[in-house]
Amino acid sequence: MVSSWPFDYRPMPTPFSSLSAAGGAGPDRPSPYLLELRHITKGFGSNLVLDNIDFTVLPGEAVAIIGPSGTGKSTVLRIIAGLLAADQGDIYVAGQKRQGLIEDASDPVGIGMVFQQAALFDSLTVEENVGFLLYQHSNLSSGQIHNLVEEVLDMVGLPGTGNRYPAELSGGMRKRVSFARAIIANPENPEDRPALLLYDEPTAGLDPIASTVIEDLICDIKRNQGCSSYLIVTHQDSTIRRTADRLIFLHRGRIQWSGPVSAIDSTDNPYVRQFFSGQIEGPIQMVN
């Protein structure tokens, strides 16, 4: 399994309750889904963050999880990545049930995560950050890892930056370094290249031009780098419209709406209409 943790429109998916009727996974039939969340529940103390969440991701899908701040969007990503355990529910990756957290699981496909704040080691160079997992968990020589790092840095538009430190980079550059770390793979184990990427607010805090660079990079990775499926948490309108096929709207721990991006401006769903219009009045109540 691949992760960037540093110590490291497609048809709507069929609800789980309809899997048997639709010819879903079974002993002789592989699951059509790359990712399945079944009845995922998570709380922190008395705060129920996720309340019986179900959704699926098909191979090749780009799904955005949207909604107001503090509604569990990033928590969903961390549970999928295996960095956080759900209190209840199951996760299936390529039809196989996830067992344990990242250090315990052996998922049939790789999952990589790009964190909101890049999560780079300040004391390591860009090259050491990007190649961290290969240095720690491969038999590749330093020269081989150097060449692989240079290759992925070029992919994300940062050639020649391997000897610089995170503090020397802009916010947008640091995020691109985290992208490089998420997609780097050991050529001796090509199946380790992540089949599913998780993006947590990749354009947060960036100006419109820097956001466009990141959005283009996300789309390019999907088209050209073999990582064709992803989940993205974002609040930015341009990022939602330019990078996603389908939306999942999360509020108060539950999915309030799911549909294609093309339905944003025509849906009557009050949550979606309030979110994209920015109106104060509506079902989403801000806490002062």
Side-chain angles (χ1 to χ4, degrees), residues 269-282:
N269 182 275
Y271 292 93
V272 177
R273 294 180 68 86
Q274 183 184 0
F275 183 83
F276 283 97
S277 68
Q279 294 178 353
I280 297 175
E281 299 297 325

Side-chain angles (χ1 to χ4, degrees), residues 218-286:
I218 290 169
C219 295
D220 180 70
I221 289 172
K222 184 179 189 297
R223 288 191 302 264
N224 301 319
Q225 306 305 328
C227 310
S228 62
S229 306
Y230 60 81
L231 278 164
I232 182 168
V233 166
T234 181
H235 292 96
Q236 291 198 199
D237 187 275
S238 65
T239 305
I240 292 167
R241 294 178 187 270
R242 297 188 68 228
T243 67
D245 303 320
R246 180 165 60 93
L247 303 181
I248 294 171
F249 196 102
L250 193 63
H251 182 50
R252 292 186 175 176
R254 295 187 176 184
I255 295 174
Q256 305 294 343
W257 183 81
S258 179
V261 171
S262 58
I264 288 174
D265 299 316
S266 59
T267 180
D268 291 329
N269 182 275
Y271 292 93
V272 177
R273 294 180 68 86
Q274 183 184 0
F275 183 83
F276 283 97
S277 68
Q279 294 178 353
I280 297 175
E281 299 297 325
I284 303 171
Q285 298 298 311
M286 302 304 296

Side-chain angles (χ1 to χ4, degrees), residues 111-134:
I111 298 175
M113 185 164 180
V114 176
F115 293 86
Q116 181 175 350
Q117 301 299 331
L120 303 178
F121 289 115
D122 291 338
S123 61
L124 299 183
T125 65
V126 167
E127 179 174 324
E128 290 166 336
N129 270 283
V130 173
F132 187 85
L133 286 177
L134 296 183

Side-chain angles (χ1 to χ4, degrees), residues 75-116:
T75 299
V76 171
L77 294 192
R78 282 160 171 74
I79 290 173
I80 293 170
L83 303 175
L84 185 67
D87 295 335
Q88 297 178 23
D90 298 309
I91 293 178
Y92 290 79
V93 180
Q96 294 187 22
K97 185 176 179 179
R98 159 80 59 75
Q99 302 290 344
L101 297 177
I102 188 171
E103 62 269 24
D104 309 311
S106 180
D107 291 334
V109 299
I111 298 175
M113 185 164 180
V114 176
F115 293 86
Q116 181 175 350

Side-chain angles (χ1 to χ4, degrees), residues 27-273:
D28 302 314
R29 187 190 300 271
S31 171
Y33 305 118
L34 180 62
L35 177 72
E36 307 173 49
L37 271 66
R38 302 185 181 185
H39 313 303
I40 295 296
T41 297
K42 181 65 181 179
F44 297 98
S46 61
N47 182 23
L48 184 61
V49 177
L50 299 174
D51 184 7
N52 201 35
I53 295 296
D54 288 350
F55 70 81
T56 63
V57 177
L58 288 164
E61 263 201 310
V63 180
I65 304 176
I66 67 172
S69 299
T71 55
K73 303 183 298 298
S74 295
T75 299
V76 171
L77 294 192
R78 282 160 171 74
I79 290 173
I80 293 170
L83 303 175
L84 185 67
D87 295 335
Q88 297 178 23
D90 298 309
I91 293 178
Y92 290 79
V93 180
Q96 294 187 22
K97 185 176 179 179
R98 159 80 59 75
Q99 302 290 344
L101 297 177
I102 188 171
E103 62 269 24
D104 309 311
S106 180
D107 291 334
V109 299
I111 298 175
M113 185 164 180
V114 176
F115 293 86
Q116 181 175 350
Q117 301 299 331
L120 303 178
F121 289 115
D122 291 338
S123 61
L124 299 183
T125 65
V126 167
E127 179 174 324
E128 290 166 336
N129 270 283
V130 173
F132 187 85
L133 286 177
L134 296 183
Y135 283 116
Q136 297 293 318
H137 302 293
S138 80
N139 295 317
L140 299 174
S141 68
S142 296
Q144 289 173 305
I145 296 174
H146 170 80
N147 291 335
L148 290 169
V149 170
E150 287 293 307
E151 181 181 335
V152 294
L153 286 175
D154 188 59
M155 288 178 188
V156 301
L158 293 175
T161 58
N163 62 346
R164 298 171 69 177
Y165 287 86
E168 301 177 80
L169 307 177
S170 69
M173 293 172 72
R174 287 194 295 271
K175 292 200 176 185
R176 281 187 277 165
V177 170
S178 70
F179 279 47
R181 185 180 59 199
I183 65 174
I184 196 168
N186 185 346
E188 296 178 350
N189 297 290
E191 68 278 4
D192 282 353
R193 184 176 294 277
L196 176 67
L197 286 175
L198 309 175
Y199 296 106
D200 190 5
E201 296 280 7
T203 54
L206 300 181
D207 64 68
I209 296 174
S211 293
T212 297
V213 170
I214 295 298
E215 291 160 3
D216 287 346
L217 178 57
I218 290 169
C219 295
D220 180 70
I221 289 172
K222 184 179 189 297
R223 288 191 302 264
N224 301 319
Q225 306 305 328
C227 310
S228 62
S229 306
Y230 60 81
L231 278 164
I232 182 168
V233 166
T234 181
H235 292 96
Q236 291 198 199
D237 187 275
S238 65
T239 305
I240 292 167
R241 294 178 187 270
R242 297 188 68 228
T243 67
D245 303 320
R246 180 165 60 93
L247 303 181
I248 294 171
F249 196 102
L250 193 63
H251 182 50
R252 292 186 175 176
R254 295 187 176 184
I255 295 174
Q256 305 294 343
W257 183 81
S258 179
V261 171
S262 58
I264 288 174
D265 299 316
S266 59
T267 180
D268 291 329
N269 182 275
Y271 292 93
V272 177
R273 294 180 68 86

